[in-house]
Amino acid sequence: MTQDPIELTRGLLETTAVLRNGFLDVLGESTASPAPTFAQRAMNSPFVATVYERLWRPTSFYVASGVTARAERRRAASALRLATASRLLDVACGPGNFTGPLASELPDGGLAVGFDISEPMLTRAVLDNGGARTCYVRGDARTLPFADETFDAVCCFGALYLMPEPFLVAHEMVRVLAPGGRIAVLTSYAAGPPPLRHVLTGGAHLIGLTMFDRHAFVDLFSSAGLVDVEQQTQRALQFIVATKPG
Ligand SMILES: C[S@@+](CC[C@H](N)C(=O)[O-])C[C@H]1O[C@@H](n2cnc3c(N)ncnc32)[C@H](O)[C@@H]1O
């Protein structure tokens, strides 16, 4: 018999959670999220949450990378080796635009947990990308509420550049990754010659976005002991994938 994904996920959480609007909330009754920058405030807006998956995301990421949403999903499923994974954690999942489709790539009995801090995004995720293998959790990615080595695939797409402590979040992702598991990140890339790069980096900073160089996450994953670290750069985005040794 298939187990309820909410109860399965509750069993993985290291802290108590209330069920609200179809997602588990480890931040308690408070619906406020830290939103000190323009970019973070946008992610807490019900309007942005509504138009994000069909309009905002495909348009802005295609312009930034030249890669379509469908190609991104194929790349993610393959990089994370979902055909042989049983538990996926999608950090900063937004409206579940990767969580839902990636859940369907897991074998029978698989579980995909989408994790985000924004209540409007998670409300959309439950409505648009729910399913028998999917559960959504509201929390802060700086302290993932899961034990070490819980998931055999962990990803974070289109979000680390919004966060005030992206490297702390990346270390948390490595911590909850099981030996032999795969981790994948899609984030910003400060491309181009120095003058242009500095203008773009400064402009992004004004709205609360960080532009990372090509070494930032490659070095972090290598220093954390991960192997098979691979990187693709496409215009203003970079995709990095790595394995935790078994
Ligand atoms: C642009 S969306 C990315 C959604 C999806 N992963 C994608 O690739 O389209 C960024 C998400 O990061 C979330 N986020 C920002 N800071 C966070 C934090 N500290 N913990 C969890 N989620 C966070 C926002 O709420 C937002 O939903």
Side-chain angles (χ1 to χ4, degrees):
M1 196 178 70
T2 316
Q3 260 192 289
D4 175 11
I6 292 180
E7 289 318 310
L8 277 176
T9 305
R10 255 194 217 283
L12 301 178
L13 286 170
E14 289 199 304
T15 177
T16 54
V18 291
L19 185 62
R20 192 207 323 256
N21 298 341
F23 58 83
L24 291 169
D25 193 336
V26 303
L27 297 180
E29 292 302 321
S30 156
T31 56
S33 301
T37 65
F38 170 80
Q40 283 178 317
R41 281 198 297 278
M43 295 302 136
N44 281 316
S45 143
F47 173 71
V48 172
T50 302
V51 299
Y52 182 83
E53 180 170 2
R54 285 184 178 74
L55 199 61
W56 179 308
R57 176 57 159 86
T59 312
S60 60
F61 279 65
Y62 184 71
V63 170
S65 67
V67 181
T68 63
R70 180 192 288 250
E72 272 196 71
R73 283 197 293 270
R74 276 202 307 269
R75 173 175 67 182
S78 152
L80 292 164
R81 298 187 186 147
L82 296 184
T84 55
S86 55
R87 285 185 199 148
L88 164 71
L89 177 66
D90 181 11
V91 174
C93 63
N97 47 311
F98 279 91
T99 323
L102 294 183
S104 63
E105 304 283 336
L106 294 168
D108 285 348
L111 174 70
V113 177
F115 188 93
D116 204 282
I117 201 165
S118 161
E119 179 157 12
M121 286 290 189
L122 291 171
T123 301
R124 283 263 46 112
V126 170
L127 291 172
D128 298 342
N129 289 298
R133 299 171 175 183
T134 308
C135 179
Y136 292 96
V137 177
R138 178 167 177 261
D140 189 333
R142 290 176 292 187
T143 48
L144 292 174
F146 304 102
D148 297 357
E149 305 181 353
T150 298
F151 295 92
D152 40 17
V154 178
C155 61
C156 180
F157 301 142
L160 287 169
Y161 52 75
L162 291 171
M163 298 181 182
E165 293 169 278
F167 301 122
L168 180 58
V169 173
H171 278 292
E172 276 291 273
M173 293 170 63
V174 173
R175 179 183 67 75
V176 301
L177 183 65
R182 298 276 285 175
I183 189 167
V185 158
L186 175 73
T187 192
S188 58
Y189 170 49
L196 175 64
R197 205 164 61 222
H198 292 145
V199 170
L200 288 176
T201 302
H205 185 70
L206 286 178
I207 54 167
L209 304 180
T210 304
M211 298 300 288
F212 296 106
D213 69 26
R214 62 163 64 242
H215 304 289
F217 293 98
V218 168
D219 289 357
L220 184 148
F221 287 160
S222 301
S223 310
L226 303 190
V227 296
D228 304 333
V229 183
E230 290 167 35
Q231 179 183 47
Q232 296 168 14
T233 57
Q234 281 134 342
R235 297 184 191 162
L237 292 178
Q238 56 180 309
F239 181 79
I240 306 113
V241 60
T243 305
K244 194 180 234 187

